[in-house]
Short mmCIF file of all heavy atoms in Angstrom, two decimals:
data_model
loop_
_atom_site.label_atom_id
_atom_site.label_comp_id
_atom_site.label_asym_id
_atom_site.label_seq_id
_atom_site.Cartn_x
_atom_site.Cartn_y
_atom_site.Cartn_z
N ASP L 2 -16.15 -35.26 -37.19
CA ASP L 2 -16.49 -36.59 -37.68
C ASP L 2 -15.22 -37.34 -38.09
O ASP L 2 -14.50 -36.93 -39.00
CB ASP L 2 -17.44 -36.49 -38.87
CG ASP L 2 -17.92 -37.85 -39.34
OD1 ASP L 2 -17.60 -38.84 -38.65
OD2 ASP L 2 -18.63 -37.91 -40.36
N SER L 70 39.98 -69.55 -31.84
CA SER L 70 40.91 -70.46 -32.54
C SER L 70 40.26 -71.16 -33.73
O SER L 70 40.97 -71.67 -34.60
CB SER L 70 41.44 -71.51 -31.56
OG SER L 70 40.37 -72.28 -31.02
N HIS L 80 14.96 -61.91 -43.12
CA HIS L 80 13.69 -62.55 -42.75
C HIS L 80 12.62 -62.30 -43.82
O HIS L 80 12.72 -61.38 -44.63
CB HIS L 80 13.21 -62.05 -41.39
CG HIS L 80 12.75 -60.62 -41.36
ND1 HIS L 80 11.52 -60.22 -41.85
CD2 HIS L 80 13.37 -59.49 -40.90
CE1 HIS L 80 11.39 -58.91 -41.69
NE2 HIS L 80 12.49 -58.44 -41.12
N VAL L 100 17.99 -72.44 -33.65
CA VAL L 100 18.17 -73.83 -34.07
C VAL L 100 19.16 -73.91 -35.23
O VAL L 100 20.06 -74.75 -35.26
CB VAL L 100 16.82 -74.45 -34.48
CG1 VAL L 100 17.01 -75.84 -35.09
CG2 VAL L 100 15.89 -74.53 -33.27
N SER L 129 19.26 -53.56 -46.38
CA SER L 129 19.96 -54.84 -46.33
C SER L 129 21.37 -54.71 -46.90
O SER L 129 22.32 -55.30 -46.38
CB SER L 129 19.16 -55.90 -47.12
OG SER L 129 17.90 -56.11 -46.54
N LEU L 149 32.21 -60.54 -34.96
CA LEU L 149 32.58 -60.64 -36.36
C LEU L 149 34.10 -60.62 -36.53
O LEU L 149 34.65 -61.36 -37.35
CB LEU L 149 31.94 -59.50 -37.17
CG LEU L 149 30.41 -59.47 -37.19
CD1 LEU L 149 29.92 -58.32 -38.09
CD2 LEU L 149 29.83 -60.79 -37.69
N GLY L 166 12.81 -62.52 -47.89
CA GLY L 166 14.24 -62.49 -47.57
C GLY L 166 15.09 -63.19 -48.61
O GLY L 166 16.22 -62.79 -48.87
N ALA L 177 26.28 -57.31 -55.37
CA ALA L 177 27.64 -57.56 -54.88
C ALA L 177 28.62 -57.79 -56.02
O ALA L 177 29.83 -57.62 -55.85
CB ALA L 177 27.64 -58.77 -53.96
N GLU L 182 29.96 -51.29 -57.20
CA GLU L 182 29.35 -51.50 -55.89
C GLU L 182 30.27 -52.37 -55.03
O GLU L 182 29.83 -53.28 -54.35
CB GLU L 182 27.98 -52.20 -56.05
CG GLU L 182 26.92 -51.34 -56.68
CD GLU L 182 26.21 -50.48 -55.67
OE1 GLU L 182 26.61 -50.48 -54.50
OE2 GLU L 182 25.26 -49.80 -56.05
N LYS L 187 33.84 -61.47 -50.51
CA LYS L 187 33.27 -62.41 -51.47
C LYS L 187 32.11 -63.16 -50.84
O LYS L 187 32.20 -63.59 -49.68
CB LYS L 187 34.33 -63.40 -51.95
CG LYS L 187 33.78 -64.47 -52.89
CD LYS L 187 34.85 -65.40 -53.39
CE LYS L 187 34.27 -66.60 -54.13
NZ LYS L 187 33.35 -66.24 -55.22
N ASP L 217 -1.37 -62.19 -55.58
CA ASP L 217 -1.36 -61.06 -56.51
C ASP L 217 -1.49 -59.74 -55.76
O ASP L 217 -0.78 -58.76 -56.04
CB ASP L 217 -2.53 -61.17 -57.51
CG ASP L 217 -2.30 -62.21 -58.59
OD1 ASP L 217 -1.15 -62.62 -58.79
OD2 ASP L 217 -3.29 -62.60 -59.24
#
Side-chain angles (χ1 to χ4, degrees):
D2 185 6
S70 60
H80 69 78
V100 173
S129 298
L149 297 183
E182 291 275 5
K187 176 178 171 54
D217 284 343

